[in-house]
Amino acid sequence: MKKIFTLFILAAAALTVNAQTRTTVWEGSKTMDSTWPAVQIAASQFSDARAGDQIIVTVSKADNSINSGWEWGPQVFIKLDWQDFLSAKYLTDGATDAEVAFDLSADDVDKIKAGQEIEIQGMNVIVAKCELLTAAETTSSTIWEGECAFGDWAAGFSIDAEKFADASAGDAIVFNYTVTKNEEKNWYQFKTIFAGTDSETLTSNASDLNEYGCASVTVDSKSFKITLNAEDVAKLKETGLYVNGKDITVTSVNLLKVVTGISNAAAKQEKTADAYYSLDGVKVASPQKGMYIYKGKKIVVK
């Protein structure tokens, strides 16, 4: 009886939990020094990547002594076919076993699938692993909409605290924008701070930020995502958010909420109350003889 009950619990979980999965695409040890070595990974390793997924790079150690002549601190870069620069992340000197996450937009995924190699480069770090993290199921709501052209740090906009009332750790803010190409100073940047403060930046995207608290994006990018931690969620609910930057025109901001297994379970059970499922959670249109899950219970069809 106990075994049957355990099977029921596992089957029910298969119906309702939206688990993220990690796939290791490279593992080893590569010291990023002044010779500019690279970890090269075939683009085919990312054939299943989708918009919203992440490339996770594990750094076993960040150490400025690797190249003391490098003045910008430990960094990790993602490049495509040695030319197309996708993103950069910053780390704290002395950090160990640190993970940096690179969010993949639809444009990034298209570029990767059309390319040949992904290169991981950097400076003053030892790279130990690269993984592809699949995106969790999310719902999206618009929390700001308009047209704010930052120019040269000349404009910005605020998002009221009430817009974050339902936010939770693991949810994300997504900024949708266009970039105004500037040939002289191609610094396309966001600065996100808590409203009512002078310069208090969010900590959720600390690895995106340079020494001035700004996150850089590429000239052909169209969206920028910050996955929120619990500390920032609590603060946003109190103060709201203020955003400005350089040579970017923001048109909308979305809040992506992760659909949890518990909340999703109720929705799915309501919508598919009369559906049959196999014990591994697959919906069955015409059940034959065997054991199934029906209306949340295990039954036998004879």
Side-chain angles (χ1 to χ4, degrees), residues 75-96:
Q75 296 182 33
V76 177
F77 313 132
I78 294 286
K79 298 172 71 176
L80 178 64
D81 294 339
W82 283 104
Q83 296 179 348
D84 199 348
F85 180 79
L86 294 185
S87 191
K89 300 288 183 179
Y90 297 80
L91 293 97
T92 302
D93 183 35
T96 58

Side-chain angles (χ1 to χ4, degrees), residues 5-6 48 56 72 99 110 116 135 159 205 208 256:
F5 179 75
T6 301
D48 294 330
I56 307 291
W72 295 280
E99 290 186 351
D110 288 343
Q116 296 181 357
I159 302 177
N205 67 324
D208 293 323
L256 293 187

Side-chain angles (χ1 to χ4, degrees), residues 95-114:
T96 58
D97 296 326
E99 290 186 351
V100 289
F102 296 86
D103 297 316
L104 295 178
S105 66
D107 286 344
D108 292 336
V109 171
D110 288 343
K111 288 178 182 178
I112 289 172
K113 292 185 177 181

Side-chain angles (χ1 to χ4, degrees), residues 157-300:
F157 63 92
S158 297
I159 302 177
D160 293 338
E162 64 184 24
K163 298 294 185 180
F164 301 98
D166 296 330
S168 303
D171 294 345
I173 307 171
V174 179
F175 302 88
N176 302 301
Y177 57 85
T178 56
V179 171
T180 303
K181 191 169 185 179
N182 187 328
E183 297 292 352
E184 294 182 2
K185 296 181 179 180
N186 55 348
W187 304 331
Y188 312 113
Q189 296 183 337
F190 274 95
K191 188 163 189 176
T192 52
I193 64 175
F194 295 107
T197 69
D198 293 331
S199 58
E200 187 180 351
T201 59
L202 278 65
T203 61
S204 299
N205 67 324
S207 64
D208 293 323
L209 307 181
N210 62 20
E211 60 186 305
Y212 304 106
C214 304
S216 298
V217 298
T218 58
V219 67
D220 55 352
S221 61
K222 296 179 181 178
S223 66
F224 177 68
K225 183 170 77 171
I226 301 175
T227 301
L228 298 171
N229 60 30
E231 178 186 350
D232 284 350
V233 168
K235 186 82 173 181
L236 288 169
K237 289 180 178 182
E238 292 180 6
T239 69
L241 184 68
Y242 179 76
V243 189
N244 72 340
K246 178 172 173 54
D247 294 333
I248 294 171
T249 299
V250 179
T251 54
S252 65
V253 182
N254 295 336
L255 178 65
L256 293 187
K257 287 193 60 61
V258 175
V259 179
T260 65
I262 294 175
S263 62
N264 203 36
K268 289 190 176 183
Q269 286 179 358
E270 181 179 347
K271 292 179 181 178
T272 61
D274 295 325
Y276 288 82
Y277 294 87
S278 64
L279 294 182
D280 58 357
V282 178
K283 188 176 180 180
V284 179
S286 301
Q288 306 298 315
K289 290 182 179 180
M291 190 174 295
Y292 300 91
I293 300 297
Y294 178 68
K295 292 186 176 180
K297 297 181 179 180
K298 188 173 67 173
I299 67 168
V300 176

